[in-house]
Amino acid sequence: MSKSNPALVLLPDLPSPLYARLTELLRLRILDGTYPPHGRMPSESELCSMFGVSRITVRQALGDLQKAGLIFRIHGKGTFVSRPKAFQNVTALEGFGEAMSRMGYEIINRVDYLRTAPADARVAERLGLVAGDQVVEIRRVRLLNREPVSLELTWLPAPLGERLSRHELVTRDIFLMLENDCGVPLGHADVAMDAVLADEDLMQALQIEEGAPVMHIERLTHAADGRPVDYEHLYFRGDAFQYRLRIDRARSAQRGAVHE
Amino acid sequence: MSKSNPALVLLPDLPSPLYARLTELLRLRILDGTYPPHGRMPSESELCSMFGVSRITVRQALGDLQKAGLIFRIHGKGTFVSRPKAFQNVTALEGFGEAMSRMGYEIINRVDYLRTAPADARVAERLGLVAGDQVVEIRRVRLLNREPVSLELTWLPAPLGERLSRHELVTRDIFLMLENDCGVPLGHADVAMDAVLADEDLMQALQIEEGAPVMHIERLTHAADGRPVDYEHLYFRGDAFQYRLRIDRARSAQRGAVHE
DNA sequence: TGCGCGGACTTGTCATAACAAGTTATTCCA
DNA sequence: TGGAATAACTTGTTATGACAAGTCCGCGCA
């Protein structure tokens, strides 16, 4: 060993365990494209000599990256970078950004518009308003690694929606803004999902082929007191996204909510 | 210490890796109450000498149990059995038939096959088996008003699956059969969904155009004791189905099995 | 030409060893 | 008696070494 290797520094400022620093370094290289999706990572023994650490350390770092879903390993072949198949856990009602940042991905939102307009019949009905009442409409495209992942259309009652700033919308989840900035604790959401084909608009927004499969999610989020506060239509690229949840079998009460 | 230990056998019939056998043995002891909830497990070095294995093996087994949520570790203190989770139930885990019959629809299942075969790697992994273990494979097409709605591929461990009768599968949910006929209370399910395009097989099974959008759901259902019992791939016609849920925002989600 | 068998890779498993770091209880000194 | 040092635990990190098992490619034999 005794490499005198330049890369050996491994973010020396951190006092944290060696494998954690290696994990971070590799995560960065994956996210910045040094190790591209579906590409092969250096083998374990290569990483050992690259960074002057033992194989057990390399394996712990790789194990963490695997748990996080960034890489997968094939016995006898090698270690490979996963295609960024973002997944969102629905069980804990959370926003897209919340879910992604937990994985170490950085999300940017392109805000196409943020405007106040009269509600149409469907939106009014969902939000418990009268058609024609003012609502705030938001259209955002969410980018993961500079690639569009989802198109999100959001409607909020005007008094609430007008407290959201366009600037904040670029980086933050509406969920977090509602809870932290507006003081609206969230309660539950009703969610419906189906698969649709991309139309002209989706095709352009998500940069996919016309006719590509898209997962459509309609979500009506309620405040803790039961008032509907956030009505959304989300369109996720089918090839880049998975929705994950954990469902507990209802033993007792409250089994509604499925298939109304 | 050394050997000559009776417990050293560690389920010797299994050829599987040592740490996996140790994991299973410890899991059983936790479930049967040998190590009660909140109780302290033997220390790592005690486990080493108990079973005559190295600490690296013990740690790998404990790590797996920790990932599964059965234990938690406190640096400097020891390893403890998690309290059995307090479900704060989110959505009803129910079968397709259950859901539909509540809506007043009648469901018929066409059973394409029901057979016993060796598990491939993925199925084995999900069900906690070894590749090559016998599993029961079921392929059904569910018909609503004589129109195909979904294609369902199901795998169950052979001892369990062989207790399902082909005749019953035509009208009843596997969920109900497991609970009522096999005495296997169900716990939770992990679910992942995405949108895909129909391939040749799906096209024929669901009588749709090639390239039509299909919602793909992968569901791994666990018994109440946590053992995986039912692994499924469900393909729903995008134009005929919606999956609906109600999600509650988790306030005090269980991060690491708590220790108030 | 085709097929099988090695050899050279890869990741997976396991042992031994050592030290770091957190927790707890005891001991010893002021 | 009060409090700090300490010993004796615990889990966490890391190195070295070895062999097993899966994959792939090419060589040689039929």
Side-chain angles (χ1 to χ4, degrees), chain A residues 55-84:
Chain A
R55 195 165 156 232
I56 220 173
T57 303
V58 167
R59 281 184 64 79
Q60 183 143 8
L62 291 178
D64 286 352
L65 290 173
Q66 184 176 33
K67 260 192 295 184
L70 274 81
I71 62 171
F72 60 96
R73 301 196 260 191
I74 300 181
H75 189 175
K77 282 186 75 173
T79 303
F80 303 86
V81 178
S82 304
R83 217 178 13 163

Side-chain angles (χ1 to χ4, degrees), chain A residues 237-259:
Chain A
R237 283 175 52 169
D239 63 345
F241 201 80
Q242 252 192 356
Y243 222 69
R244 292 205 182 170
L245 41 132
R246 174 191 161 123
I247 296 167
D248 292 302
R249 181 133 176 110
R251 294 257 140 251
S252 49
Q254 152 224 87
R255 50 108 97 72
V258 179
H259 298 288

Side-chain angles (χ1 to χ4, degrees), chain B:
Chain B
M1 26 260 54
S2 282
K3 322 315 94 120
S4 79
N5 196 307
L8 191 144
V9 270
L10 270 185
L11 320 178
D13 40 339
L14 282 301
S16 27
L18 199 48
Y19 74 85
R21 300 209 294 272
L22 181 54
T23 303
E24 277 321 298
L25 194 150
L26 293 177
R27 187 203 301 281
L28 289 179
R29 293 205 178 168
I30 289 169
L31 295 179
D32 75 11
T34 307
Y35 303 133
H38 261 349
R40 230 197 86 187
M41 305 266 301
S43 76
E44 295 179 358
S45 62
E46 282 174 322
L47 289 171
C48 288
S49 49
M50 265 199 249
F51 299 110
V53 298
S54 79
R55 195 165 156 233
I56 220 173
T57 303
V58 167
R59 281 185 64 79
Q60 183 143 9
L62 291 178
D64 286 352
L65 290 173
Q66 184 176 32
K67 260 193 295 185
L70 274 80
I71 61 173
F72 60 96
R73 301 195 263 190
I74 300 182
H75 189 175
K77 281 184 75 171
T79 303
F80 303 86
V81 179
S82 300
R83 227 183 2 182
K85 312 197 168 81
F87 296 92
Q88 81 268 55
N89 148 325
V90 187
T91 310
L93 174 57
E94 63 181 350
F96 185 66
E98 284 183 85
M100 285 300 125
S101 65
R102 267 200 301 107
M103 285 179 70
Y105 287 111
E106 206 181 20
I107 295 294
I108 297 178
N109 305 316
R110 190 186 75 216
V111 179
D112 287 348
Y113 58 70
L114 163 62
R115 67 189 180 202
T116 302
D120 67 23
R122 186 192 53 182
V123 169
E125 191 269 327
R126 296 293 199 284
L127 290 176
L129 306 175
V130 179
D133 280 358
Q134 295 292 301
V135 292
V136 167
E137 290 182 345
I138 301 166
R139 177 180 154 130
R140 292 187 296 177
V141 173
R142 315 204 81 158
L143 308 165
L144 179 76
N145 294 344
R146 287 181 302 281
E147 264 200 277
V149 175
S150 71
L151 169 65
E152 311 201 0
L153 305 176
T154 307
W155 291 267
L156 305 111
L160 191 60
E162 281 162 357
R163 293 161 66 187
L164 304 178
S165 84
R166 187 188 194 95
H167 161 256
E168 295 276 313
L169 282 170
V170 174
T171 55
R172 295 181 62 201
D173 271 357
I174 290 181
F175 279 11
L176 292 178
M177 295 167 70
L178 288 176
E179 289 211 301
N180 300 331
D181 304 348
C182 303
V184 178
L186 299 180
H188 72 277
D190 294 315
V191 179
M193 314 188 195
D194 53 8
V196 300
L197 288 183
D199 61 13
E200 183 78 22
D201 191 29
L202 279 170
M203 185 184 107
Q204 198 166 13
L206 299 182
Q207 290 175 24
I208 50 180
E209 302 288 309
E210 185 166 4
V214 172
M215 187 141 85
H216 170 224
I217 298 178
E218 182 181 342
R219 179 164 65 179
L220 178 62
T221 305
H222 302 253
D225 63 10
R227 225 188 310 280
V229 292
D230 176 5
Y231 178 56
E232 300 166 298
H233 279 258
L234 318 177
Y235 297 88
F236 289 104
R237 284 174 53 168
D239 62 346
F241 198 78
Q242 263 195 345
Y243 212 77
R244 300 212 171 182
L245 351 150
R246 176 192 159 120
I247 295 157
D248 293 297
R249 181 139 176 109
R251 294 254 144 254
S252 56
Q254 68 274 32
R255 205 58 184 130
V258 283
H259 40 347
E260 297 107 298

Side-chain angles (χ1 to χ4, degrees), chain A:
Chain A
M1 49 170 34
S2 57
K3 285 317 93 127
S4 78
N5 197 307
L8 191 144
V9 272
L10 270 185
L11 321 179
D13 40 342
L14 281 301
S16 25
L18 200 47
Y19 75 85
R21 301 210 293 272
L22 181 54
T23 303
E24 278 321 298
L25 193 149
L26 292 176
R27 186 204 301 281
L28 288 179
R29 291 205 179 168
I30 290 170
L31 295 180
D32 76 9
T34 306
Y35 304 131
H38 264 336
R40 230 196 87 186
M41 306 264 302
S43 76
E44 295 180 357
S45 61
E46 282 172 322
L47 290 171
C48 287
S49 49
M50 264 198 246
F51 299 109
V53 299
S54 79
R55 195 165 156 232
I56 220 173
T57 303
V58 167
R59 281 184 64 79
Q60 183 143 8
L62 291 178
D64 286 352
L65 290 173
Q66 184 176 33
K67 260 192 295 184
L70 274 81
I71 62 171
F72 60 96
R73 301 196 260 191
I74 300 181
H75 189 175
K77 282 186 75 173
T79 303
F80 303 86
V81 178
S82 304
R83 217 178 13 163
K85 186 130 191 171
F87 57 83
Q88 182 162 11
N89 187 326
V90 191
T91 306
L93 177 57
E94 64 181 351
F96 185 66
E98 286 182 84
M100 286 304 111
S101 64
R102 263 198 304 103
M103 282 183 68
Y105 284 112
E106 207 180 18
I107 295 296
I108 298 179
N109 306 314
R110 192 187 73 216
V111 180
D112 287 348
Y113 58 69
L114 162 62
R115 66 189 180 203
T116 303
D120 67 23
R122 186 191 54 181
V123 170
E125 189 271 324
R126 295 293 200 284
L127 290 176
L129 305 174
V130 180
D133 280 359
Q134 295 290 300
V135 292
V136 168
E137 290 183 346
I138 302 167
R139 175 177 154 133
R140 291 187 296 176
V141 172
R142 316 203 81 158
L143 307 166
L144 178 75
N145 292 347
R146 290 178 300 280
E147 267 199 278
V149 175
S150 71
L151 170 65
E152 312 200 1
L153 306 176
T154 307
W155 290 266
L156 305 111
L160 192 58
E162 281 163 357
R163 294 161 64 187
L164 304 177
S165 85
R166 185 187 196 98
H167 162 256
E168 295 276 312
L169 281 170
V170 173
T171 54
R172 294 182 64 201
D173 273 356
I174 290 181
F175 280 11
L176 292 178
M177 295 168 69
L178 288 176
E179 290 209 303
N180 299 331
D181 303 349
C182 304
V184 178
L186 299 179
H188 71 277
D190 294 318
V191 178
M193 315 187 196
D194 53 7
V196 299
L197 289 183
D199 61 11
E200 183 78 21
D201 190 28
L202 279 169
M203 184 185 109
Q204 197 167 13
L206 299 182
Q207 289 176 23
I208 50 180
E209 302 289 308
E210 184 167 6
V214 173
M215 188 141 85
H216 170 225
I217 297 176
E218 182 182 342
R219 178 162 67 178
L220 179 62
T221 306
H222 303 254
D225 61 12
R227 246 176 338 123
V229 292
D230 178 3
Y231 178 57
E232 298 166 299
H233 279 257
L234 319 177
Y235 297 89
F236 288 104
R237 283 175 52 169
D239 63 345
F241 201 80
Q242 252 192 356
Y243 222 69
R244 292 205 182 170
L245 41 132
R246 174 191 161 123
I247 296 167
D248 292 302
R249 181 133 176 110
R251 294 257 140 251
S252 49
Q254 152 224 87
R255 50 108 97 72
V258 179
H259 298 288
E260 49 201 12

